[in-house]
Amino acid sequence: PFDVNLKNKLVILYFLGGEIERALELTQEALKIRPKDVEANCNLAILYYHMGRQQESREIAQELLGRNNLDVEEKIKVAMLMVEIKNHQAAFDMMSQVLEYRSYDIKFLFICAVALANEGQMEQAQEYLMKIVKLEPYNLIAHSFLNLMKKEGPGREYDYFYKIPPEEYREYLKKIDTYDKMPDQKLAERFQTDEQMRVVLAWELIMGKGDLKVLAASIFCRIPSWEAD
């Protein structure tokens, strides 16, 4: 039997594998069965965008934005379409609607922040990043992106799938090694006053792997419990 949902998932795999024509063929098959299917239409718009058929892509995107009966999952799909085709304002508007139901979702808050930054609305973007920091004080990506925004300002394209630059991350790792060599009293004093130290250590403790995670844990063990809490 023809499973539209399965075909939609296969389209993504073909697209990521560079087989755009096959992805387009499957998408068109899905739309023959279910012409109004949101995911299939999003896939078609993305494929057209990457095939250089921007006008057709925009028309599909506009039709999807005009629908007033989308559920939350469908709104997420449309928002991610807008991210892919770089319609930043529409990405923000749609993801803002998603946040009405999922206000604590870090990845959706980050998308809103990046969309606003790409629209040149830096203060509003910073507000969304600070919401992330409030929810996850150790979130190193949010802190790093805040620093990047302050340095670069408006007028450039910011990446929705931002990763901490390797050279910046190496600096963080050097700091951990420095913290490990501090005497206990100095370590406790520094931990109390240095926000970046708290962020870096907590990030590695929660997100790190292997020796770095163990090192971060050992540093926390040397800090008085009222500070580490």
Side-chain angles (χ1 to χ4, degrees):
F2 192 99
D3 188 328
V4 172
N5 294 327
L6 176 59
K7 294 293 184 182
N8 284 335
K9 300 300 182 287
L10 286 172
V11 166
I12 300 300
L13 293 177
Y14 278 116
F15 171 69
L16 293 175
E19 298 185 50
I20 292 182
E21 291 298 334
R22 179 58 178 149
L24 180 60
E25 180 184 328
L26 286 173
T27 301
Q28 290 168 337
E29 289 177 9
L31 288 169
K32 284 179 182 178
I33 302 298
R34 205 184 293 167
K36 290 293 184 180
D37 185 80
V38 171
E39 186 171 7
N41 276 282
C42 286
N43 288 343
L44 185 60
I46 290 171
L47 291 170
Y48 279 166
Y49 179 82
H50 287 281
M51 294 171 72
R53 299 165 66 173
Q54 274 82 11
Q55 182 59 37
E56 292 165 282
S57 177
R58 284 194 293 269
E59 289 173 0
I60 296 168
Q62 199 59 41
E63 190 275 326
L64 288 166
L65 288 171
R67 297 189 189 185
N68 55 16
N69 59 345
L70 298 175
D71 62 30
V72 176
E73 293 302 321
E74 289 172 333
K75 287 179 178 180
I76 293 170
K77 290 180 175 66
V78 174
M80 295 311 295
L81 162 63
M82 301 306 154
V83 165
E84 187 69 27
I85 67 174
K86 302 185 187 304
N87 188 337
H88 306 302
Q89 187 61 55
F92 171 77
D93 292 341
M94 188 60 68
M95 200 56 84
S96 294
Q97 294 180 39
V98 173
L99 285 171
E100 292 176 10
Y101 302 92
R102 302 187 184 180
S103 58
Y104 299 108
D105 195 303
I106 299 298
K107 60 182 177 296
F108 297 154
L109 287 167
F110 190 77
I111 286 171
C112 283
V114 178
L116 287 167
N118 283 328
E119 285 290 297
Q121 302 177 48
M122 310 308 284
E123 289 186 13
Q124 295 92 324
Q126 185 170 332
E127 289 174 9
Y128 275 86
L129 289 169
M130 293 310 298
K131 288 180 182 180
I132 296 174
V133 171
K134 186 174 181 180
L135 291 168
E136 291 186 357
Y138 61 85
N139 193 303
L140 202 54
I141 290 176
H143 284 277
S144 177
F145 195 80
L146 270 169
N147 291 334
L148 177 65
M149 278 178 30
K150 290 175 183 176
K151 178 182 177 182
E152 299 286 339
R156 59 154 288 176
E157 187 84 14
Y158 289 95
D159 189 353
Y160 286 95
F161 306 102
Y162 176 76
K163 295 181 180 179
I164 301 169
E167 64 277 8
E168 183 178 338
Y169 194 67
R170 283 194 291 271
E171 288 301 314
Y172 289 133
L173 299 185
K174 288 179 184 176
K175 288 179 184 295
I176 292 178
D177 189 54
T178 301
Y179 302 148
D180 184 49
K181 292 179 171 63
M182 288 181 180
D184 288 355
Q185 181 62 35
K186 186 176 181 181
L187 180 67
E189 293 171 356
R190 179 74 175 272
F191 191 85
Q192 186 177 6
T193 59
D194 189 337
E195 180 185 17
Q196 188 179 72
M197 177 183 185
R198 295 193 294 271
V199 169
V200 170
L201 287 175
W203 175 268
E204 287 302 330
L205 184 64
I206 297 168
M207 306 295 290
K209 297 178 182 178
D211 292 344
L212 274 173
K213 192 181 188 81
V214 173
L215 181 58
S218 72
I219 294 172
F220 266 110
C221 288
R222 293 170 49 210
I223 299 168
S225 58
W226 66 271
E227 282 291 357
D229 289 344

